[in-house]
Amino acid sequence: MDDKRQKIQYELAFPGNQEGEALRTSGEGTEPSVAGRGTERLASTERLMEEVCERENLRKALQRVRANKGSAGIDGMTVGELPAYLTEHWPALRDQVLSGTYRPAPVKRVCIPKPDGGKRNLGIPTVLDRFLQQAVLQVLQTRWDPTFSEYSYGFRPNRSPHQAVDQAQRYIAMGHGWVVDIDLEKFFDRVNHDRLMGRVAQRVTDRRMLRLIRAFLNAGVMEDGLVSPTEEGTPQGGPLSPLLSNLVLDELDRELELRGHRFVRYADDCNIYVRSERAGQRVMKSVSTFITRRLKLKVNDSKSAVARPSERKFLGFRLTGGKEPKKRISVQALERFKKRVRERTRRKGGASLERTVKDLAPYLRGWAEYFAGPDSYWLLRELDSWVRRRLRCVVWKQWRTGRTRYTGLRRRGVRAHLAAATAASPFGPWRLSRSRAMSLAVSNAELESLGLPAMSARIRR
């Protein structure tokens, strides 16, 4: 029996090694296979919970939760501990899910700073609840996603922010040179549960599924050891929240389509493109009224505006006007980038150059992957140079004294007179990061060999 349990735990612990088999055979080995209940997708929404508990769906859900990693919830269970827990407890959990009696745990409240200086509330469900939400998401998304608007791009399979920006560019090229930029105030915190469940009930007849979704919404929030009830909102951090948010805002999409507007929506970021400022003001007023009265949500007046696209940011970009609009990186995105790089290249951090580059490289690759494009080549070249100067500042600051600076420059192949003149220079680290001595001592080739990516190189490829 112990050998069998060890084998099951091994299969659960490593993706691609029959995770679903472990879920199927967990417990005493007498439970029938979930797959045996029928692997064909059921047509009726009255038996959605059976689809949630199908072996292949559970395997994919476990694999996705493991890949996403993430912090532990209020119970302290980590992602790595989940497979062993399911091995022991899945039969009982499955019975609760199928009978509609499963009750999620409260989510852990975490506040993270927003780029504009505010705070965003995140709700971290337990790892087990994330696993079940993911399993539910996979079943519902295959049904719901094809029914959503083609102008909705956020949190949807095979859709991306870049597609949304491209669509916005097409509107501008067609002559719609004004944008109605609508920002929803604390959208995820203000979703009305009754309205949301009414929308879900229009698509789902399985009462167990309805009870489970309602239970996830009403699970409560733990903050500073105290649990508070949740009467509205969908906590950011759970796998199911993005799909539910799209369901809520699908009503807005349909209204905009009915009115004939040209719009793009990515999550709660909605831009409507019109031909004149006057038309934009009229659209802003009428759509804001619809959002407030019909959806019971609030428009953030301080962040919403009617303006030229070049005066607003959309998904990190600023779009120029004309028949061939350009896609520029927004000022806000550049400021966030430089702030993150400064945090990772603190001169007094004490980390070696190799360690600093290793820590910085994934962020640079991810940022370049998102922002690299023909219109941003020269800007990325400037940022590449700026990052290298930051790294040279790290080295210069760590040498501290004139003697160690001279020794460090000489050790790195700089001629004696140049090393002496640079070590004795009265200028600061940032000025000297452009000096010939530091360019030789910490060359571009060395930084590349340490793994520093050149962001502009992605555009050339």
Side-chain angles (χ1 to χ4, degrees):
M1 186 65 185
D2 290 339
D3 291 342
K4 179 181 179 182
R5 184 174 297 277
Q6 289 177 1
K7 179 180 178 182
I8 293 171
Q9 290 178 342
Y10 175 84
E11 291 172 343
L12 276 163
F14 297 92
N17 284 280
Q18 304 295 325
E19 290 169 317
E21 184 69 20
L23 289 169
R24 182 174 66 85
T25 61
S26 60
E28 297 300 319
T30 58
E31 290 289 339
S33 166
V34 175
R37 302 175 187 270
T39 58
E40 288 187 7
R41 187 163 301 280
L42 302 174
S44 172
T45 61
E46 293 182 356
R47 295 181 60 80
L48 287 177
M49 297 310 298
E50 278 72 17
E51 287 192 40
V52 169
C53 292
E54 283 183 3
R55 171 189 170 189
E56 182 62 17
N57 186 59
L58 295 173
R59 184 191 67 79
K60 290 180 179 179
L62 179 58
Q63 190 173 27
R64 178 54 63 92
V65 170
R66 289 165 62 100
N68 289 342
K69 300 180 181 179
S71 304
I74 63 171
D75 61 356
M77 184 190 301
T78 65
V79 173
E81 296 170 336
L82 178 61
Y85 182 87
L86 291 174
T87 299
E88 183 175 355
H89 298 284
W90 174 246
L93 289 170
R94 184 194 62 198
D95 289 342
Q96 294 178 32
V97 171
L98 291 177
S99 64
T101 59
Y102 178 81
R103 291 295 175 263
V107 301
K108 182 168 68 174
R109 170 65 56 80
V110 176
C111 295
I112 61 173
K114 297 173 65 175
D116 59 7
K119 290 186 177 181
R120 175 179 287 111
N121 292 327
L122 292 185
I124 303 178
T126 64
V127 174
L128 176 60
D129 286 340
R130 296 208 296 268
F131 166 69
L132 291 176
Q133 284 194 37
Q134 181 64 37
V136 171
L137 168 68
Q138 291 166 178
V139 170
L140 296 182
Q141 192 166 53
T142 56
R143 284 178 161 80
W144 295 1
D145 191 78
T147 69
F148 291 153
S149 170
E150 64 176 299
Y151 304 109
S152 165
Y153 294 88
F155 308 125
R156 298 182 61 186
N158 303 315
R159 288 179 169 249
S160 70
H162 296 92
Q163 292 174 330
V165 175
D166 291 343
Q167 181 62 53
Q169 285 181 287
R170 286 192 285 271
Y171 289 144
I172 297 172
M174 292 165 56
H176 298 82
W178 289 83
V179 60
V180 181
D181 187 355
I182 298 177
D183 182 88
L184 299 180
E185 185 174 314
K186 296 183 178 180
F187 166 71
F188 285 93
D189 297 333
R190 295 183 181 275
V191 172
N192 183 282
H193 286 179
D194 292 334
R195 282 192 55 81
L196 171 57
M197 290 307 303
R199 299 283 293 176
V200 174
Q202 292 175 1
R203 297 167 178 256
V204 171
T205 56
D206 190 327
R207 294 182 179 274
R208 298 166 301 173
M209 176 68 79
L210 295 174
R211 283 197 295 267
L212 181 59
I213 294 176
R214 172 71 81 166
F216 280 129
L217 293 174
N218 296 341
V221 173
M222 176 174 283
E223 189 172 13
D224 297 328
L226 300 176
V227 177
S228 304
T230 48
E231 299 177 354
E232 62 178 4
T234 59
Q236 295 186 69
L240 195 55
S241 292
L243 179 65
L244 296 178
S245 69
N246 272 333
L247 181 63
V248 171
L249 292 176
D250 183 62
E251 191 171 354
L252 172 62
D253 298 339
R254 298 308 174 189
E255 180 67 18
L256 295 178
E257 289 178 348
L258 186 64
R259 298 183 183 187
H261 290 313
R262 291 166 174 81
F263 72 96
V264 179
R265 184 178 65 79
Y266 191 93
D268 57 341
D269 198 347
C270 182
N271 281 5
I272 306 170
Y273 292 86
V274 296
R275 292 186 179 274
S276 68
E277 183 179 12
R278 183 178 179 181
Q281 296 294 349
R282 184 174 64 252
V283 169
M284 173 68 81
K285 182 178 179 180
S286 62
V287 173
S288 296
T289 300
F290 174 84
I291 291 173
T292 303
R293 295 181 179 178
R294 183 75 173 270
L295 302 185
K296 308 300 181 184
L297 297 171
K298 186 176 181 180
V299 175
N300 190 333
D301 294 330
S302 63
K303 293 184 178 180
S304 302
V306 177
R308 293 288 190 182
S310 59
E311 299 172 2
R312 308 293 295 177
K313 65 178 178 67
F314 182 51
L315 301 177
F317 292 98
R318 178 178 59 84
L319 303 179
T320 65
K323 294 184 178 180
E324 295 183 1
K326 304 295 184 182
K327 185 166 58 177
R328 313 290 191 191
I329 301 173
S330 70
V331 174
Q332 296 87 341
L334 289 174
E335 290 176 349
R336 289 196 296 270
F337 171 82
K338 290 191 173 183
K339 181 180 179 181
R340 290 287 297 274
V341 173
R342 288 190 184 102
E343 291 172 352
R344 296 174 183 230
T345 57
R346 291 191 181 96
R347 300 168 189 172
K348 297 181 180 179
S352 66
L353 181 62
E354 293 81 359
R355 177 68 177 273
T356 303
V357 170
K358 184 178 180 180
D359 179 60
L360 185 61
Y363 175 70
L364 296 180
R365 280 194 290 267
W367 200 86
E369 190 70 31
Y370 184 84
F371 285 106
D375 299 331
S376 58
Y377 173 73
W378 292 107
L379 178 57
L380 290 183
R381 283 197 61 177
E382 291 179 8
L383 292 178
D384 283 335
S385 176
W386 182 82
V387 169
R388 291 192 291 266
R389 289 186 66 186
R390 288 290 308 178
L391 293 171
R392 290 180 183 123
C393 283
V394 171
V395 175
W396 182 259
K397 194 69 175 180
Q398 289 178 348
W399 282 339
R400 295 181 179 275
T401 67
R403 183 180 296 276
T404 54
R405 287 167 180 169
Y406 173 80
T407 303
L409 290 171
R410 290 289 291 140
R411 187 181 297 118
R412 287 175 169 268
V414 180
R415 294 191 300 274
H417 74 280
L418 182 57
T422 306
S425 173
F427 296 116
W430 184 247
R431 173 74 174 268
L432 293 175
S433 67
R434 295 187 65 179
S435 67
R436 177 167 175 77
M438 285 303 294
S439 296
L440 292 171
V442 186
S443 66
N444 294 357
E446 179 187 359
L447 293 174
E448 183 178 355
S449 69
L450 293 176
L452 183 71
M455 294 185 291
S456 57
R458 291 185 175 272
I459 300 177
R460 289 199 298 271
R461 284 199 295 271

